[in-house]
Amino acid sequence: MMDCCSQPGLMPIETARSRLLAEIKPVAGVETVSLKNAVGRILAVGVRSAVDLPPCDNSAMDGYALHSTDLDAQAPLRQIGKSFAGAPFTGEVLPGTCVRIMTGAVLPAGTDAVVMQEHVSADGDDIHIHGAVRRGAHIRRRGEDVSAGEILLGAGVRISVPHIALLAAAGIATLNVVRRPKIGVFSSGDELRQPGDSLGKGDIYDSNRTALLAALSELKLDILDLGILPDDKNVIREKLAQAAREADAIVTSGGVSVGEADYTREVLEEMGEIGFWKVAMKPGKPFAFGRLAGIPFFGLPGNPVSALVTFYQLVVPALETMQGGSWSGAPTLRAKLLKPVEKKPGRTDFQRGFYCNDPTTGLCVEPMGTQGSHILSGLAAANCFIVLEQDSGSVETGDLVTIEPLRPPLGG
Ligand code: AMP
Ligand code: MG
């Protein structure tokens, strides 16, 4: 027997994602941002290093710089000066002599090894070395990290904090990044109220738009917030037209199902076109993708978990592509299931789960207790989706399943 929502003819999620991505074009336009404001932005132009990193041979330790062949003689070495980070020793180190050196200080001419200060005893300027010292010891070589002219990051990369560290180390102060696409957002439903306002009987708070606005700003997108719309075709028409004029894409929630007040899809069909509607996924079946005046339209289901799951699975890859990045699929892991999950073939399931690494059994995952598409507490407590493929049936305790750890904007 099929469950109420498995229907033949629903579009497999992989097809939905690739159909939708095939229609998404990167936005035109580049802007220059300072390095400190570049996290999360997508590089429009690749960046090369103008310098070697490290810029010159330097010491990895606090100690003494010397010539390694001097160590064959058992005689102490005479300290002839000091080399500090930022204040190098400028003379030449001749046989029989050494230089006191600090971490990061330039290696003086004539030296080829550093001995840690812990392996030395000093008697005035006479330095006694204990133990063997190998040539090249404790020296960081010029260019061993990056050489001048090397590409540091290519176009299309989303800038992370480690990227910032690398670029700053190479002396780069500004970056050319892709313009932020502007996303028009509204939620629709006569029952929806803004958090902070009071609720009348039958009202609920608009969690979808609030969460979507947060997700979009986390993804470094510009936002056109069109607010909460009533179930009124004229208002929906007017706001869709505004979004088409002012935004690069539209994300809405609610009004795409089959209820009598589900007008968003109907109005889109009248003003633009529906590319596809209804995806073989759970939650999220009523997802609609379309076009309006040349810009993409993503109609998320109203149910809050469905809205965020479809946003994550179908809209985030599209937004990445619009920003000039490339979506290469979500990283997945395999984990041992700690509780059985009932499922009927027909739709890809995105169960909310919590995974952890058990010292004896390895990676394990537990499905959250209640999986309804209105159960936000389960999504909020989850750290992964348990992805059960469209054709799979129920899975048992101990089965290995695919999990997708939640990444920004939904997790970690
Ligand atoms: P709909 O898709 O408009 O039929 O809505 C499906 C369910 O999701 C209904 O229970 C709505 O009340 C609820 N819903 C719709 N929009 C939102 C929203 N923005 N925030 C929270 N719940 C919503
Ligand atoms: Mg509604």
Side-chain angles (χ1 to χ4, degrees), residues 100 127 183 206 285 364:
R100 174 91 171 104
I127 307 301
I183 314 299
D206 176 9
K285 186 181 69 162
C364 294

Side-chain angles (χ1 to χ4, degrees), residues 279-365:
V279 179
M281 64 190 290
K282 188 181 176 187
K285 186 181 69 162
F287 177 86
F289 173 70
R291 279 198 168 272
L292 179 61
I295 68 168
F297 166 92
F298 306 94
L300 312 182
N303 276 311
V305 178
S306 314
L308 287 181
V309 172
T310 50
F311 179 78
Y312 193 71
Q313 294 295 336
L314 295 167
V315 184
V316 170
L319 295 174
E320 184 84 20
T321 308
M322 282 186 81
Q323 286 174 298
S326 55
W327 194 78
S328 49
T332 58
L333 299 166
R334 301 280 285 169
K336 203 169 267 186
L337 203 55
L338 294 174
K339 277 184 190 165
V341 177
E342 271 191 38
K343 178 186 182 300
K344 297 187 178 77
R347 294 194 279 161
T348 304
D349 238 30
F350 294 92
Q351 294 257 324
R352 280 69 69 204
F354 194 90
Y355 76 98
C356 62
N357 198 17
D358 182 281
T360 48
T361 42
L363 222 49
C364 294
V365 64

Side-chain angles (χ1 to χ4, degrees), residues 45-234:
V45 183
V47 182
R48 285 181 192 275
S49 182
V51 295
D52 287 322
L53 287 181
C56 55
D57 291 354
N58 69 89
S59 178
M61 293 287 171
D62 295 320
Y64 293 82
L66 45 82
H67 199 283
S68 53
T69 51
D70 267 353
L71 296 166
D72 297 339
Q74 293 299 304
L77 301 177
R78 191 165 47 83
Q79 182 186 320
I80 57 165
K82 294 184 179 180
S83 184
F84 289 91
F89 176 78
T90 49
E92 170 119 22
V93 180
L94 297 172
T97 66
C98 66
V99 162
R100 174 91 171 104
I101 195 165
M102 313 303 158
T103 304
V106 174
L107 199 71
T111 65
D112 69 358
V114 169
V115 58
M116 291 164 68
Q117 64 190 32
E118 290 83 349
H119 296 163
V120 158
S121 54
D123 177 10
D125 283 343
D126 283 347
I127 307 301
H128 299 263
I129 314 292
H130 310 299
V133 178
R134 127 194 98 69
R135 188 163 179 264
H138 306 310
I139 295 174
R140 302 158 167 173
R141 289 291 175 203
R142 171 180 179 162
E144 73 178 2
D145 187 1
V146 170
S147 34
E150 194 175 317
I151 292 181
L152 293 170
L153 297 173
V157 168
R158 194 182 276 277
I159 303 293
S160 67
V161 169
H163 293 154
I164 300 281
L166 175 67
L167 296 165
I172 287 156
T174 58
L175 291 176
N176 291 323
V177 296
V178 177
R179 166 177 83 80
R180 289 171 194 255
K182 185 179 253 188
I183 314 299
V185 183
F186 65 75
S187 53
S188 66
D190 285 337
E191 74 281 30
L192 301 178
R193 297 290 171 269
Q194 184 67 17
D197 291 353
S198 58
L199 288 185
K201 189 165 173 58
D203 293 346
I204 57 167
Y205 288 116
D206 176 9
S207 59
N208 292 348
R209 182 173 123 273
T210 314
L212 289 171
L213 295 177
L216 293 170
S217 66
E218 171 124 351
L219 295 172
K220 306 293 171 189
L221 291 145
D222 255 4
I223 292 164
L224 172 67
D225 181 6
L226 298 159
I228 298 171
L229 309 194
D231 291 315
D232 175 326
K233 286 194 199 179
N234 284 330

